[in-house]
Structure formats: structure tokens, C-alpha cells
Amino acid sequence: MVHETVTMQGHLIDSDILRRAFARIVEEGGDFDIQEFRVGKTNDDPSFIRLTVAAAQTDALDRILEHLSYLGGATSAADAAFAPAERDGIVPDEFYATSNFETDVRIDGRWVPVVDQKMDCALVLREQGPTCVKQGRVVKGERVALRGPGLRVRPPERSRDFSVFGFMSNDVSAEVNKGIVIAGAAGEMRKTREAGEKIVVVAGPAIVHSGGDAALARLVRAGWVDVLLTGNAFAVHDLEKAILKTSLGVCQMSGRAVEGGSRNHLWAINAVNRAGGVRAAVESGLVNGGVMYELVRKNVPFVLAGSIRDDGPLKDVLTDTLVAQKAYAESLRGAGVCLMLASALHSIAVGNLLPARVRTVCVDMTESVPVKLSNRGSMQAIGVVTDVGFFLERLERELLVV
Amino acid sequence: MVHETVTMQGHLIDSDILRRAFARIVEEGGDFDIQEFRVGKTNDDPSFIRLTVAAAQTDALDRILEHLSYLGGATSAADAAFAPAERDGIVPDEFYATSNFETDVRIDGRWVPVVDQKMDCALVLREQGPTCVKQGRVVKGERVALRGPGLRVRPPERSRDFSVFGFMSNDVSAEVNKGIVIAGAAGEMRKTREAGEKIVVVAGPAIVHSGGDAALARLVRAGWVDVLLTGNAFAVHDLEKAILKTSLGVCQMSGRAVEGGSRNHLWAINAVNRAGGVRAAVESGLVNGGVMYELVRKNVPFVLAGSIRDDGPLKDVLTDTLVAQKAYAESLRGAGVCLMLASALHSIAVGNLLPARVRTVCVDMTESVPVKLSNRGSMQAIGVVTDVGFFLERLERELLVV
Amino acid sequence: MVHETVTMQGHLIDSDILRRAFARIVEEGGDFDIQEFRVGKTNDDPSFIRLTVAAAQTDALDRILEHLSYLGGATSAADAAFAPAERDGIVPDEFYATSNFETDVRIDGRWVPVVDQKMDCALVLREQGPTCVKQGRVVKGERVALRGPGLRVRPPERSRDFSVFGFMSNDVSAEVNKGIVIAGAAGEMRKTREAGEKIVVVAGPAIVHSGGDAALARLVRAGWVDVLLTGNAFAVHDLEKAILKTSLGVCQMSGRAVEGGSRNHLWAINAVNRAGGVRAAVESGLVNGGVMYELVRKNVPFVLAGSIRDDGPLKDVLTDTLVAQKAYAESLRGAGVCLMLASALHSIAVGNLLPARVRTVCVDMTESVPVKLSNRGSMQAIGVVTDVGFFLERLERELLVV
Amino acid sequence: MVHETVTMQGHLIDSDILRRAFARIVEEGGDFDIQEFRVGKTNDDPSFIRLTVAAAQTDALDRILEHLSYLGGATSAADAAFAPAERDGIVPDEFYATSNFETDVRIDGRWVPVVDQKMDCALVLREQGPTCVKQGRVVKGERVALRGPGLRVRPPERSRDFSVFGFMSNDVSAEVNKGIVIAGAAGEMRKTREAGEKIVVVAGPAIVHSGGDAALARLVRAGWVDVLLTGNAFAVHDLEKAILKTSLGVCQMSGRAVEGGSRNHLWAINAVNRAGGVRAAVESGLVNGGVMYELVRKNVPFVLAGSIRDDGPLKDVLTDTLVAQKAYAESLRGAGVCLMLASALHSIAVGNLLPARVRTVCVDMTESVPVKLSNRGSMQAIGVVTDVGFFLERLERELLVV
């Protein structure tokens, strides 16, 4: 048997950290012995635990310690180790893979917070400090943090306020009064505004199909959207509706495709591209309403990421997925709230790029998108299983009418 | 090879009858030869077809002819045959099984329309005429129609108006603007009102969870509901909310059960039963709001059908399922529109009892309930995949505000 | 501010009890101060906590204490209080509502375990001890336990084995290798067999539609089913297939209803009822295969609960839902494993009647049934989102072939 | 009122063409008068109709005629008109938008079939004939077909064989015996093989999660896959499993993410990229099993399309979505059968690129992907709602064992 002593600190119980730590130990065939446990006496006190973890073999123990480190478990006070990237895009095999929880790196005896925290990155020592960098963007010779000591994760603490983003996160059933959840989301948007953080909207084409585009356009006009992340399809549906007043080549009453109906879709792309892109199409008067129009008028930035499904695409689309990923990541800096509206692809892409502290609401007609987000590590996202059109209309009433 | 000549008349193409007829023939290994086909020249003209159906063996041909008869296919002009029920609840093996399409029976050379049309019944000669009777209710010695000649089905014709209940029925996608469908449903409710037919609401407990109960109560008060068919659970949730103002033992913000939370549920049943039932509880002042309260005050009839899942149950519940089925069937007489709101069990039960001509809207969070209804033969039902709370609020605005 | 001291003991962390206790206190606006906390040093040691709970008002404190009591929180050592039922089916307003966790009642200073533990019952002092009784079955004058002191709940401890029924319960995603989960379920069935406990199967008609009936029939024949709980529909589908070899009035290739197709369904009911019921139909040779046939041949008891959706029904059906509920409850005595197969109605009914210690697997094509079970308090049930036909074939291979 | 005479020919009834034609006329507010209708006397005879369509205004009539043309309606015998593309990627506003039905263009009095038929393209006169070209790839000056006369669509005729790909297509319920559908798909794969056409597989990562990867690898080895179209995620999951034998950073028993678990995912990308890509990783011995390994060994081509969600990505990934779309389109030439396995993004992308005559099966855990495909015009796709792991195991048994 081999052992190691681990300490953890924080809201160990109500943030569900201790239970998950014990689960990982047992799952890997290990054992534990608690040396010291002090539970916070009141709501605001952190708890502290020191425990000895044991396993039959060194590699099992290492796996356990690695899991625990992602839950905030600390083993020793050594500095982090680094090794150079051997080539562009190739990291040392012992690289540390980041999570979306805030992380500190011990360098010369000091704990330095990580820049651009996001999941599934390498941790590279750059000028501005240790930085989360997608592995494909690591440059030959850059110093890459290795797994092991000197890395400390701070799992997000659930707010002890009883709120949508507090105890309830990730537990919202489809059978709930959505009005209450939407009111909670509106409250968070107001707080985010006051804190000077960004409100990010991720948008899918079902917003237009469901008739929620009018409410979203008014929210943009009223200044409730700071960045819009989407793809070609949402933008084209919105532009087609603005230019041609048509039903998107889809029967309004059934939502099903009509023979030959996508001609208008292609026509709108053609017209906007001929004008020189979305901004030019607005400025030329070709487009005079809708979400894209309001974004241009309010100078709200938007990023259109390309996908293999696209028609056209619009000139504004970033067709290279790595370029689009980088543009999304930059747009997300400073985000405080993120609304993911009816787009599986872009929601999961954004989930990959967001630190866990951003309050995230994922709206979709089925539980599968919120469940996927959670399975992939975006555990902070609250799923709201409902019609995105009704969601936006209600959100608008919460923010604009009251 | 054996053959038979069949004629059909009606909106054979746009009601999708001819395609289904051909499909059945091919599916059973048969063949057909069209003798005469006159298509209606205009929107309002019926079409007519006479075709010879062939099959290798008599029993295959019989099966084909039987399928076609359910689509309105007529083979000969003989009278229907009848045989007596041998015992209570036991019909002759050759009994004719009804569909939910309007049917005529040829008796003494005259075509007599069937009374109480509904699917999966025996056709019994009673005083008021040939009547659809659930097999368990057939009485020894009653004359039961046999399959074969003398039975003529009139499949419902799709309205050539382009409306929610016209061409579009049963084809509504989850990605559609629900506002348009709800406006269409409201329009049908107005027409039903003018025609002096009943508006039936089938209600599930998710109405209360989703916060749609307030809108439904106002619709009852405004006279938009003529019958409410539901079970114990919906009534108890509504009564608990009225009496105890509690969140139904379910966390308002998450929709999940709270430890010990169903005590209030049981308490409400106890209190209402002690008072002597729902009406007495309203009259005594114990209950002073909610859907059940408005029903009692407006003298709108309701039926509470028992289920094996029930707590309590309330005194008003019909615990015998055959008694409840009969009470539902009687309440449905004269129905023009049926709203099925978030209740799989009761919606399918009502689908079994409704003639196909009743315009039916089925609202649920997933497509599975509308799909089940359609698979079981309630093909007239339009599925609206959305949050029932939002549906009711929007319907209220359509009916009461405008 | 008012306070109370509460103690709790058990696997407070890994059974997720402490987190839920803290959540309830905060949710109700309360506060807590931890006096003593001893965490179990090893896997097998229980933990212990003593904390002071405070709230602004007495009724908020009472609500918190009541929630905590359902998580095992104990406040004082007084005996339980009882009061007589005022009428048949009417309990005192202060009655204690049971959970599905094992419970002890303090009577004359001794803790007495509850008989027939199940959720949402009154606790009645009967000859065999304090017994869970559905409120509708309480008899006038029987002594009913009141909420408050003298009631102690023992929440189930998650097994520290890493197994399907251990840490993982209630957390299974749709994107998992179902083979592993099914192997785990088979393992539990073997253990249950060895422990002399019952294996209960709850069955829905989709078993027949999906072609899983053959595997289920072989499992019955091989002795892997001790009780089958279902309704009229499953039995009729199975019997129709056995007698008429037909496709259940449903197109084999599409699963959709065929015009006039339910005649065979009704015919089968008629024939079995004429024979005198299911057992007689098997013994007379009318039925010579299928699940019902194997049940009769092996003398495995089955209960057919009536529902308002039923055709027929079969003579064997208990049409009164209270009678059916009682029959289900009695059949569940001694259950060790429960498989819920593609039946929302009966699965939730059984969930209401099962103590939480019974290992339960709920198989359905969508997450909605397992989620409903969990929301309604059957938190022990593991959801397996898959095709029930494939589930049964794989289970058979695990149990019979290997 | 303005009118026009339209003729249509083919299996107008059983391919559901006439019903849809009438629906479009009514939906656009038009009217029709049937001049001549000859229905095919037998199974193999085509039908013929000549009808006059009327509308109140020219533009409504034009819309109706355009819809009808997509259903095969012909109005006159003039040649098609062409106009040059004004710039790269900019087509004339009056361009004709293609469907996925086979189309002929009238040039110099001759009907010439279209090359590379797919939906939502421009029709460009290139050397090999009139060719479907995505609008973004049209080159300045190329002659682009305009809407109006000289374009004739041949809607696919439903096979009058009663088979999975015959009458049943697009109508398959979740409650069906999947074994029958899978046997039908296997039969089509055999026929495709004999016809010398390609079997295309579109693959999503859930194949690996569900354990279906082993069966898919064996199908590749046995020569049942001619092209594999997927993205980065599927390939990496498969390679990680081959190299590290790990559970993909996901708990095997729950399918949920494990803290720090995606490190192995990133490690596998790093190792394969260091080796020089997938082929090099197989040849170097780093990868010695799994689906990608079998593809390389059998020289079966695969295309990995980039997406904004990707980690890494692998060197083999085409990160530009337009390049990837082109590579997919080229791989699909000569396809006879297409299996879409648990990947919404890539399935819809492929649906956009496939002619409607390719027999397509779409396997997913929910109905939403097949429904989306159908709504977007891939009406030929049969949805099979089931676990992809079980699907592949059963398909393997149909193809390899029997």
C-alpha cells in the first residue's frame, strides 16, 4: 500500500466537493483515513479537511491524487514543473490539462492565478502569466506546465443564497414553473450589468422559427446583449425575414420544409454578400429590421462561426473552425452571464471556452443539450427546457416592461 | 387469384385516403387495377374511384377489403349482418370493430348513421340505433354487427381551408412558431362556441407545476371550458395550492421533490374529504381559488378518474376504471374542440373515446404523447410541443385580451 | 430568533445527506451553527453531527426540523404522539406523512421499526407494529402517529462498492455503454436470488412492440421473475400475439396503427374472456406461448391493474384502482430488485409503493420516466435510456447464456 | 384571376405528390380545375394529370407554379434560361435553387440530366453538363440557370415493394421492433454492394460511448464500409481507446465526465499528431485497434470535418468548413446507402449533400435528428430511434453472422 496526505479547503459540503472526492477514491479502488476535519461553523466559514489516501499501487494513487487535485486537493507546497513544447502544437506528454475552475500555479514560491481560464487546455508560461492555451496553439519552445505539484484548483462555491444560480444549479426539472427561473436569470443579468461584466448570447435558428426573434431584437436595442455568438444559419434566417418578409422557406403553420422553399434563404445570402456583408447590408438599407440589424446599429459585436452544414455562407462567416474558436474565446473575455439559446453546436463550443464562474442558462426544447453540457464539464449551466420563443418573450417582459 | 371490386368517394387525394388504400393493398401482397377514376374538378367536388383488388388467396383478399372498408371502401350493397352476444361482455367472433370515423350501417336497405361513434367498440343494435358499445358493456343477447357488407365508413375530410386543423393536422414540428398554432386553436374555440358545441379540457398536474393554473382558472371563469376531464393528481395539486398556498411539496425553483414535502398534498386530500368533497370544500370556504374552485362556481362539470398512482384519493374520484371510462364518454357527447394538456394517461383515454371529427390539440413537453395518440388512431390530434404554462397564458391572451 | 439542536448520524457525506440538510435550512431562510462533527475515519465508520438550527419564526423552524427529520435528523428522545382517526379515511391534521426510507417509531422508550415501509402513508399502530397505511385505508379510531418527536428516519446509505447501485445511482447518462449497466443489473438479480428476495418485473406493452417479449418469456421460464405487475394492455398484446400470430394491429415495419387493425386486439380479449380468463385460456390450449403463458405455467403471480385507457378489459383485470393498488403493494413484499420496463403509469405506481432499499432499474426510451420517478421521491431508481427490446435480449444473454 | 396549365406524371398518388401539390395551391390562396386525370391502371403504370391553376395575382401564381415545379409539375416546353454570375460567389437574383430530387434541364430542345444532384445549389453550365454547385463556389461569368421554364424535377417514387425503404419511409415510430428495420437496412446494404454502389457511414462519438465501436470496426474489416464521414471527436475517442485503453475521461458506468478526465483525450491527440497523423500512428504501431485502425488497414477513405467544438484537433482534420464540405460531397459520389449514426451535425451536413435517391437510415436516441433531417428536406431518411451500440451489434449479426 502507498499513501499520500491531501488537504482541501472551502465549502466542501454544500459545493458537493467532499462527496465527489470520496467517490473518486472508492472508484479507483483506494481507501482513505481522515486526520482532521473542521466544518465551517456558520454559512460563511470555509471547511477544512486533511486526509490520508491509500492505494495498492503507485499509479492508482497517482490517478486518485490527480482527480482530487481537480477538486481542489493539495498535496505539497512545491513549485509547478514546466517543460518546453517540442514542436508547434505538440506538448510534452506529462502536460497538465486544465479544467474550467479557477486555478493557481506555484512559481518561485508564489501562487499565481491563471489567465484565460478554460477547460481542456495546456497551461503555458506567457508574458502575462500562466495562460490556458488550446494545445494546437502552443508554440515550439514555450514552457508548458506539467501535472503534479504546484497546481491548485478552486472549485466554484455554490452561492448560499437560495437562487437560480445557487443551490439549484444543474438540477432544474422540465416540470417546473419556468417563469421563476426566467425571473432569476433576469436578476442575474441586472447584477452583471451593474458589475460591468458582459452578457453573452449564443443563438440558434430556432429563435427565428419560434418567433422569438422580435423579442431578442428588442433586447439588443435596449442594450441587454453585449456579444452575440452564432453561426451562418441564425444570421441568414434573421436576414431573410428582414429582407423578404418570408417564412424562411418553412411553412409557418407546421414548421416543415416547403418544396423549393430554401430559394429565399439562398437569395438572402446572395443579396447580403453582394452588398458586401451584414454591416454593409444594413447601411445600404437592404436590411432594416431584425436581430442582425439591431446588432449593427448598436455596434454590438457578433461572431459567425462556420459549420459544414452551411449554405452560402455569408461573407462575415469565419469558415476556419480554429479561427472561429479563437474569435469566440476572445469575445467571451469579461463575460458574467451567458444565455445559450437553442443551439447545441455553439452552446457546447462556448461551454468549452467559458470559465465555470460565468452564470450560464441553456434553453432548449429537450434536456439533451443541458445534459450534454453538464456531461462535458460545464456543470455550472442551468437547463431550462422550454420553447425559446416563449423564453425570450418572458425575459423581455422581466427586463423591459417591469 | 381472387378479386373484388371496390368503390370509394370523397376527398380521396387531399385527405390522403387513396395513398393509404394503395399502401394497404401492396402491404398485404395484393394488386389493383383501376376501372374508373374521376377526380373532383374543383376544391369542393368529391372524387370517385372504382378499382378491382386482387390477391392470391381469399383470406388475403378479405384482409385487404377489411382495411379498405375502414378507409371508406364499399364493396356491395347488402345489408349488414348481426348476431347475438352469447354472454354479457362476450361478442361473436366475427364482430365488427369500430373506428373513430363516422360510420353508417345498412339496415333494411337504408344507411343508418351510428350513435356515439368511437373506436374499438362493438356495434350494437339498440333502441336509438346502431351504437358503439365497449365490448365489456355488451349485454347477452344484444344484436352485434358482424364484419363484412353493410358497413360504410366516412373518413374525415381535411378542411381545404388552410388552417391549423386543415391541411396541417398531425404534421406540426417542434420548431414552429407556437403563437400561430395557438391563435388557430383559439379561432376553433370561438367557432365551437358559436356552433353550440362543447369545449373539453383534459388536464394534467404539470399545469400546476408550470404555473399555468392561474390562466386556466381565468379561462374557466370566462366560460371557455365546458367539461374538465382529469384525475386525482391535478385536482389535489390545485386544491393544495388554493388551501395551503404551498409549492406542492416541490421546490418552486427546481421542480424536484423536497423531503417530506408531500405531507401538504396528503393534508389537502384529508381536509377536502373531511369537508365532504370538492363542491363542499368550495361551499364551506375551505377552498377559495384555483381551477377546481372556478369549476364549482361556474357549475362546469368535471370527472376525476382514478389511477393506481393516486394518493388519497379525493372522495370525488371514480376509482373503478370502467365507471370512470363511462363518465368520460358521456361527458364527451357534443364535443367540438378538445384540449389535451400535459396528461399522457387521460389524453390517450380521451382519444379512445372521441370521434375523429372533434378538433383536438395535444400539448406536451415532448413529441411522445402526440405521437402515441396518432399511432393509436387519434390521427386528428395536432401536437403542440411546448410548455403548458406558456401555452395557457398565450391562449388566455388570444381569447380574453384581444 | 428561535433555535433547536439536531443530531444526525450515518454516511452523512457520501450519501449526500449533509449537503441536502444544509440546502433545506438555507432554502427556508434559516441558519446553522455546527457544535460537533465527527467524520468516519474509514470507509465503514459512520459520521456524526450535532448542530444548532436557527430561524426567525417558530413555523419556519418547524418546517426546517421536519425536513431534517426526513433526512435522519433527530431532535429529542420523547415518545411519538398518536391520535385516533376521526372517521374511516380521515386522519388527524397533524398526522405524520411517511417517506420510503426505513423509519423507527419511539413507543414506550423503545425504537420500533415500521412495517410495510412506503412513501406518502399515515403511520398507524396496528397489531404487527406501527404500519404504513394509505390514508384512504385508515379505519376510524385507529391510532395515527403525529408529526414531531419520536420518529426517526434512516436514509439509505449508498454502497461504497463502486457498482451500478452504488455511487452511480440516479446519475446515469443516455450516452453510456448500456451493456455495463445491464451486467450490473444482472449481478444484482443474482444476489437477490441468493438472498431469497423477490425479483419484480413491471411491464409495459412496448415490450411486445419492440420484440422483447420472447426474451422476457424465456427469463420467466428460467425462473428469473417472481412477480409481474402490469395492466391490461401488455397482457392483451402478448396474448394476441400468442393466439393470432398477428402484428398487434400495428404495422410491424413502422409501428403505426393500421386501419381496422385493433380488431385482433379486441378479438383476443373476447376469446380469452370466453375461456374464463388468462389461466383458463392457457389450460384450454388457446394460448400456447408468450409471457403470460410462461407465467401461468411457472405459477408466477401477476397482477393486472385497470386503467381508463383499457379495451375490454380481460377478466383478470382489477378495475378498481384501490383494489389494484393494494394487490400491487402485497406483491411487492419481500422484493429485492425491481425492473421497470417501458411503462410510465405502472412504474410510478410501483415507485410509490416500494421502500427505497429495493434496487430499481427503470428502462425507457426517454429520460422522462426515470426523471419523474426521481422527482416523485423514488431516488433509488437507476434510469437506463434504451430500447426495451435490446435491454431484454442483453439481460437474457447475461443471465442465461454466460 | 390569372391561370396556368400544369401537367404532372409519375406515381402521383402513392408517392404523395398530388396531395402535396393540392396543399401548396390552397396554402397560397390559389384554386385548381382538373382537365384530365389518368391514374395508372396497375402497380407499374404511371399516372398523369393536367390541371389549371388559378390565383388572384401574378406573383401568387408564380409562387404556386414554382412549388409545383419542385414536385415535377411542368408548364411549358421552352428551354431553360441562363445568366452569368456577376462575381465569384454571387449569382443572378433569378437563379434556380436545386432540390435533392433528380432534375433535367432543357437545353437546345433536349432534356439533359443534372450532374451531382444535391439540394440548395445553383445550377451551373459546366463542361460535364448542368451541375449543382454551392453558391459560394460559382465562378464569375459562369452561366447559372434561372427559375422558370426548362427545368423538370423527377420526385423519387416510393418503391411499391413493401420494405423499409418503400412505403414506410419517414414514418417509423419509436415503438417498433427495431430488429425488423435493421434487417431491412442490412438487405439494402447487400443490394447496394451487388449494384457496385458505395456504403457511406456517418459516425458520431456516441458510438464509442455506447460500446458500438467494436462492431463498427468489425464491419469495416469485413468490407461493409466504403467511406466514413465524421469529425475530430469520434476519431479521437476511438484512438484514445485504442492507445490508452481508458474510458474516454468519462465514467464507464455513468457516462458523466470525471474531474480531469479529458487529459487522456488531449494526450491521444498529442501522440497521434506527434506521429504525423492517423495513418502514421497506425503504421508506427501506436494505434493497433479500433475503427480508425481498420479504416487505415483496409484503405477505406475517411474525412474528418472540423468544428468549433474540437479539441486539438488531429492533423487529419479539415478545419476549413468549406474545404470539408467539398471533401464530403466528393466522397458521397456513387453512394447507394448512407448510415447516419448518432451525429446530428454531420448527419444534417450529409443530408444537404445527398441526392434523395440514396437510401438513408438515421440512428439516434431521440426523434429530433430524423425529424430535423426531414424538415430540412432529406425526406428519404428513415429514423431509427434506438441505442447506436445495440444497432451496430444487431447490424453486425445480420451481415456477418447469418
Side-chain angles (χ1 to χ4, degrees), chain D residues 186-233:
Chain D
E188 288 293 329
M189 288 170 75
R190 285 205 187 84
K191 276 191 233 165
T192 298
R193 179 82 337 144
E194 284 157 23
E197 291 178 319
K198 283 188 202 167
I199 296 169
V200 178
V201 170
V202 181
I207 293 172
V208 186
H209 303 322
S210 68
D213 49 338
L216 181 55
R218 288 187 296 262
L219 287 169
V220 172
R221 199 184 321 162
W224 284 103
V225 178
D226 296 310
V227 187
L228 187 105
L229 302 180
T230 184
N232 186 63

Side-chain angles (χ1 to χ4, degrees), chain D residues 34 50 76 105 120 214 228 268 294 356 371:
Chain D
I34 290 163
R50 198 177 72 244
S76 74
V105 188
D120 299 336
L228 187 105
E294 298 293 350
V371 166

Side-chain angles (χ1 to χ4, degrees), chain B residues 230-251:
Chain B
T230 185
N232 186 62
F234 168 78
V236 177
H237 282 309
D238 177 72
L239 294 164
E240 179 194 344
K241 200 169 176 183
I243 304 172
L244 292 165
K245 318 296 176 216
T246 57
S247 47
L248 319 158
V250 164
C251 170

Side-chain angles (χ1 to χ4, degrees), chain A residues 6-27:
Chain A
V6 178
T7 60
M8 301 175 89
Q9 184 160 344
H11 285 172
L12 299 178
I13 291 163
D14 45 327
S15 296
D16 201 24
I17 291 168
L18 216 49
R19 189 182 64 86
R20 287 156 71 196
F22 290 179
R24 283 297 90 68
I25 297 171
V26 173
E27 188 178 330

Side-chain angles (χ1 to χ4, degrees), chain A residues 71-371:
Chain A
L71 291 165
T75 43
S76 72
D79 275 4
F82 291 85
E86 51 189 280
R87 266 185 282 159
D88 283 5
I90 307 293
V91 295
D93 272 346
E94 286 301 302
F95 74 99
Y96 173 77
T98 62
S99 75
N100 57 2
F101 297 162
E102 288 176 58
T103 306
D104 298 324
V105 189
R106 197 168 187 275
I107 300 171
D108 300 333
R110 273 187 330 115
W111 287 101
V112 185
V114 161
V115 176
D116 281 347
Q117 188 71 52
K118 53 183 165 288
M119 67 169 84
D120 299 336
C121 285
L123 202 46
V124 176
L125 216 52
R126 288 193 169 167
E127 216 166 311
Q128 75 267 39
T131 306
C132 287
V133 178
K134 287 274 166 196
Q135 65 189 128
R137 297 192 172 276
V138 175
V139 178
K140 178 177 174 174
E142 284 194 311
R143 295 178 63 206
V144 176
L146 305 183
R147 60 179 174 168
L151 295 153
R152 195 172 65 186
V153 161
R154 281 171 282 142
E157 294 179 355
R158 298 202 169 191
S159 159
R160 286 201 173 175
D161 296 334
F162 184 66
S163 73
V164 172
F165 291 90
F167 277 116
M168 291 303 100
S169 46
N170 213 26
D171 249 348
V172 177
S173 154
E175 277 192 15
V176 78
N177 185 331
K178 311 295 158 49
I180 297 174
V181 181
I182 297 173
E188 288 294 329
M189 288 170 76
R190 285 206 186 86
K191 276 191 233 165
T192 298
R193 180 84 335 147
E194 283 157 24
E197 291 177 319
K198 283 188 203 168
I199 296 168
V200 179
V201 169
V202 182
I207 292 173
V208 186
H209 303 323
S210 69
D213 49 338
L216 181 55
R218 287 188 295 263
L219 286 168
V220 172
R221 197 185 322 160
W224 284 103
V225 178
D226 296 310
V227 188
L228 187 107
L229 302 179
T230 184
N232 187 62
F234 169 77
V236 177
H237 282 309
D238 177 71
L239 294 164
E240 180 193 345
K241 199 169 178 184
I243 302 172
L244 294 164
K245 319 293 177 219
T246 57
S247 49
L248 318 160
V250 165
C251 170
Q252 283 274 358
M253 222 168 302
S254 76
R256 306 252 170 223
V258 157
E259 295 76 22
S262 39
R263 190 183 179 279
N264 284 358
H265 195 76
L266 306 181
W267 193 98
I269 295 168
N270 201 49
V272 171
N273 280 353
R274 181 189 286 127
V278 174
R279 171 165 292 277
V282 169
E283 286 168 355
S284 74
L286 174 68
V287 172
N288 49 33
V291 177
M292 299 309 294
Y293 169 84
E294 298 292 350
L295 290 169
V296 167
R297 294 254 308 201
K298 290 284 287 189
N299 276 310
V300 175
F302 57 88
V303 183
L304 307 186
S307 119
I308 191 172
R309 289 176 306 203
D310 292 347
D311 289 309
L314 291 170
K315 271 186 180 223
D316 305 72
V317 167
L318 304 176
T319 60
D320 190 285
T321 49
L322 298 181
V323 173
Q325 199 179 56
K326 190 153 182 275
Y328 265 42
E330 282 161 11
S331 296
L332 290 167
R333 284 213 186 101
V337 159
C338 180
L339 304 181
M340 297 173 166
L341 306 178
S343 174
L345 173 63
H346 302 106
S347 296
I348 291 169
V350 167
N352 288 347
L353 298 168
L354 273 184
R357 71 175 147 65
V358 177
R359 273 88 67 210
T360 303
V361 177
C362 177
V363 180
D364 211 277
M365 273 310 290
T366 72
E367 293 195 347
S368 74
V369 181
V371 165

Side-chain angles (χ1 to χ4, degrees), chain D residues 125-254:
Chain D
L125 216 52
R126 289 194 168 164
E127 217 166 311
Q128 75 268 39
T131 307
C132 287
V133 178
K134 287 274 166 196
Q135 64 189 128
R137 299 194 170 275
V138 175
V139 176
K140 181 179 174 173
E142 284 193 311
R143 292 180 65 207
V144 177
L146 305 184
R147 59 178 175 169
L151 295 153
R152 195 173 63 187
V153 160
R154 282 172 281 141
E157 294 178 355
R158 296 199 171 194
S159 159
R160 286 201 173 175
D161 297 334
F162 184 67
S163 72
V164 171
F165 291 91
F167 277 115
M168 290 304 101
S169 49
N170 212 26
D171 249 348
V172 177
S173 154
E175 277 191 15
V176 78
N177 185 332
K178 311 295 157 48
I180 296 174
V181 181
I182 296 172
E188 288 293 329
M189 288 170 75
R190 285 205 187 84
K191 276 191 233 165
T192 298
R193 179 82 337 144
E194 284 157 23
E197 291 178 319
K198 283 188 202 167
I199 296 169
V200 178
V201 170
V202 181
I207 293 172
V208 186
H209 303 322
S210 68
D213 49 338
L216 181 55
R218 288 187 296 262
L219 287 169
V220 172
R221 199 184 321 162
W224 284 103
V225 178
D226 296 310
V227 187
L228 187 105
L229 302 180
T230 184
N232 186 63
F234 168 78
V236 176
H237 283 308
D238 177 72
L239 293 164
E240 180 193 342
K241 199 168 177 182
I243 303 171
L244 292 165
K245 320 292 177 220
T246 57
S247 48
L248 318 160
V250 165
C251 170
Q252 283 272 1
M253 221 169 299
S254 76

Side-chain angles (χ1 to χ4, degrees), chain D residues 6-76:
Chain D
V6 178
T7 60
M8 302 175 89
Q9 185 161 342
H11 285 172
L12 299 177
I13 290 161
D14 45 326
S15 296
D16 201 24
I17 290 167
L18 217 49
R19 189 182 62 87
R20 286 157 70 195
F22 291 179
R24 282 297 90 69
I25 296 170
V26 173
E27 185 178 332
E28 296 284 355
D31 214 336
F32 60 91
D33 191 21
I34 290 163
Q35 307 298 322
E36 186 182 351
F37 187 68
R38 291 195 311 267
V39 72
K41 268 187 180 312
T42 64
N43 267 0
D44 298 318
D45 273 357
S47 300
F48 173 86
I49 195 167
R50 198 177 72 244
L51 73 168
T52 307
V53 180
Q57 280 155 322
T58 313
D59 59 339
L61 183 61
D62 283 352
R63 266 200 310 277
I64 291 171
L65 294 176
E66 187 159 17
H67 286 313
L68 296 187
S69 80
Y70 283 104
L71 291 165
T75 43
S76 74

